[in-house]
Amino acid sequence: MNASETFDVAIVGGGIIGLAHAWRASQRGLKVALFERDSQAQGASVRNFGMIWPVGQPVGEPYQTALLSAKLWQELDKESVVEVAPCGSLHLAHHEDELAVLDEFCKLGSHQVEMLTAEQVKQKTALANPEGLLGGMWSATELRVDPRTASARIANWLEAKPSVSCFFDTAIAYADSGRLEATDGRVWNARQIVICSGSDLQTLFPEVMGSLDLRLCKLQMLRAVSQPDYQGLAPHIASGLTLRHYKSFEACPTLTSLKQRIADDSPKLDQYGIHVMASQFPSGEVVLGDSHEYGNEISPFDKSEIDELMLRELRNVIQLSDWTIIERWHGIYAKHPSEIVVDQEIKEGIRAFVGPGGAGMTLSFGLAEKSWAEWTGN
């Protein structure tokens, strides 16, 4: 390799945001270099439910971006890059106030959703706990991918393209004026540099990154053993607790009383940002979660109390034949308090594209497509 090789675009970060930018730039005929410090993505892009989750995005640009992103995920499925399952999602209601919020949300007409009776819910999933089940909400727009393999498969597919060069195990320590330098001394030139560094806000331009009002968020997750009664294409499951988490539901006035009930009955759920969801994969294993701790609350040590609270709440809304937990892990991502992502020009030819929060899998492709359409006028 020529050490002074020049690219149209250099992407720093091989997580889902970086991969999305590399893909959509290459689609426009640009010569792209993608740099990832590990052998493959190891951060939040592989430590999630594998949910593409448009229903959680508020009406307007966020929701439309999520739908665009879902369409692009399905393009990758057609290209046999990754398997993308059109599983849809169910929000379950086991309390009257949860049912009221879901009914109100459906009546808004902002999303592609419909109310279901308890019997209709049980017809769509064997995971719903029938005890106290009042009904639910169905959305057909959600997809499932395997987060543990998706990023690596997309990277391998991109690397096979003549317009894309991927440099793994390559940590970029310096970027400025169209020049990038790795920790091992290798150098590349690029006309445009896009920093997609995930939760790493310290390595490149730390002063700028520190000024972007981003917060780090830690989540804990679990994986339950394969269930013997797995039934084909299982929808994602969300609980009434989830209604507190996603901004799409903030348009519902009845949400206030639901939040107050949960705060009064179980303040620890708010303290740890717990809202429980489940996603069952073709293996029959079920990914469960999750929690949210921010900033100085983040510790390298996971809390057994959080896992126990999540499992307590999960047992209220879903039923498993076997609750044996075979894996536990945590992830960390960067999140802005109000923006869906931070797109910040650092200096001419260099910009940061960071902070999609927990919606990286849902929004990345749509965000990258819109950005490159704007940046290139194409």
Side-chain angles (χ1 to χ4, degrees):
M1 183 197 74
N2 186 341
S4 61
E5 186 175 0
T6 298
F7 293 88
D8 296 314
V9 181
I11 311 292
V12 181
I16 199 65
I17 282 276
L19 293 167
H21 277 284
W23 177 26
R24 304 321 295 171
S26 70
Q27 285 291 99
R28 288 165 167 80
L30 299 174
K31 184 181 179 183
V32 179
L34 177 75
F35 298 93
E36 167 56 43
R37 63 187 175 190
D38 294 311
S39 59
Q40 62 182 47
Q42 299 288 344
S45 297
V46 302
R47 306 185 189 199
N48 59 75
F49 288 99
M51 292 176 172
I52 289 80
W53 194 255
V55 70
Q57 294 301 314
V59 65
E61 183 178 356
Y63 184 51
Q64 294 305 316
T65 301
L67 292 176
L68 171 59
S69 200
K71 181 179 178 181
L72 293 171
W73 274 107
Q74 289 170 315
E75 283 189 21
L76 292 182
D77 180 76
K78 291 176 183 177
E79 294 279 344
S80 299
V81 181
V82 293
E83 288 84 27
V84 179
C87 59
S89 68
L90 283 168
H91 283 72
L92 306 183
H94 286 83
H95 292 268
E96 291 289 350
D97 53 9
E98 297 167 356
L99 194 68
V101 173
L102 294 175
D103 184 59
E104 190 171 47
F105 185 74
C106 287
K107 288 177 179 176
L108 291 174
S110 58
H111 292 64
Q112 302 169 38
V113 294
E114 62 176 307
M115 288 296 292
L116 301 180
T117 65
E119 285 304 314
Q120 289 172 322
V121 168
K122 287 185 281 187
Q123 289 171 13
K124 281 191 175 290
T125 178
L127 289 186
N129 183 355
E131 185 176 351
L133 180 65
L134 302 176
M137 184 183 78
W138 167 253
S139 171
T141 56
E142 284 63 60
L143 309 174
R144 178 187 294 108
V145 299
D146 184 346
R148 300 193 177 199
T149 61
S151 293
R153 292 181 65 168
I154 294 168
N156 291 337
W157 175 67
L158 286 173
E159 194 169 21
K161 293 179 175 293
S163 60
V164 180
S165 298
C166 294
F167 301 92
F168 298 101
D169 294 309
T170 302
I172 299 298
Y174 174 85
D176 197 16
S177 303
R179 183 174 181 273
L180 302 98
E181 184 174 338
T183 52
D184 61 8
R186 287 180 293 166
V187 174
W188 299 265
N189 298 318
R191 297 179 179 88
Q192 185 170 358
I193 299 170
V194 184
I195 299 170
C196 305
S197 55
S199 62
D200 179 6
L201 307 177
Q202 303 293 327
T203 301
L204 297 175
F205 303 100
E207 292 183 1
V208 175
M209 295 292 192
S211 71
L212 298 180
D213 201 21
L214 291 164
R215 290 195 302 166
L216 295 184
C217 176
K218 175 186 175 183
L219 53 90
Q220 290 182 205
M221 300 188 69
L222 314 163
R223 183 182 294 261
V225 68
S226 180
Q227 304 298 304
D229 52 354
Y230 174 69
Q231 298 177 341
L233 190 61
H236 297 307
I237 303 294
S239 69
L241 294 176
T242 303
L243 303 175
R244 297 149 48 247
H245 183 72
Y246 288 104
K247 290 186 176 181
S248 57
F249 298 102
E250 292 178 358
C252 301
T254 50
L255 183 63
T256 301
S257 59
L258 181 151
K259 287 182 174 180
Q260 190 60 55
R261 172 181 62 81
I262 294 168
D264 292 341
D265 292 350
S266 191
K268 287 277 189 179
L269 299 180
D270 286 342
Q271 177 183 341
Y272 294 130
I274 292 172
H275 77 102
V276 294
M277 308 176 80
S279 184
Q280 189 170 30
F281 285 77
S283 64
E285 296 175 351
V286 187
V287 174
L288 307 167
D290 58 358
S291 60
H292 300 80
E293 296 179 279
Y294 295 93
N296 293 332
E297 299 171 357
I298 294 175
S299 163
F301 308 106
D302 293 350
K303 294 181 174 67
S304 60
E305 181 184 18
I306 288 178
D307 288 354
E308 290 164 6
L309 284 168
M310 290 193 298
L311 288 169
R312 183 193 76 184
E313 296 300 323
L314 283 159
R315 288 177 185 273
N316 290 333
V317 295
I318 67 170
Q319 56 181 3
L320 300 182
S321 301
D322 188 340
W323 282 89
T324 301
I325 302 302
I326 56 175
E327 286 184 320
R328 303 170 190 260
W329 70 94
H330 74 257
I332 295 177
Y333 58 69
K335 179 180 178 65
H336 191 275
S338 59
E339 302 296 329
I340 61 174
V341 75
V342 174
D343 176 11
Q344 176 70 41
E345 186 175 41
I346 297 174
K347 56 176 59 180
E348 186 175 359
I350 303 178
R351 65 191 320 119
F353 204 98
V354 290
M361 299 295 279
T362 297
L363 294 173
S364 292
F365 293 153
L367 288 170
E369 171 60 24
K370 288 187 173 185
S371 293
W372 284 106
E374 177 184 345
W375 297 339
T376 64
N378 178 17

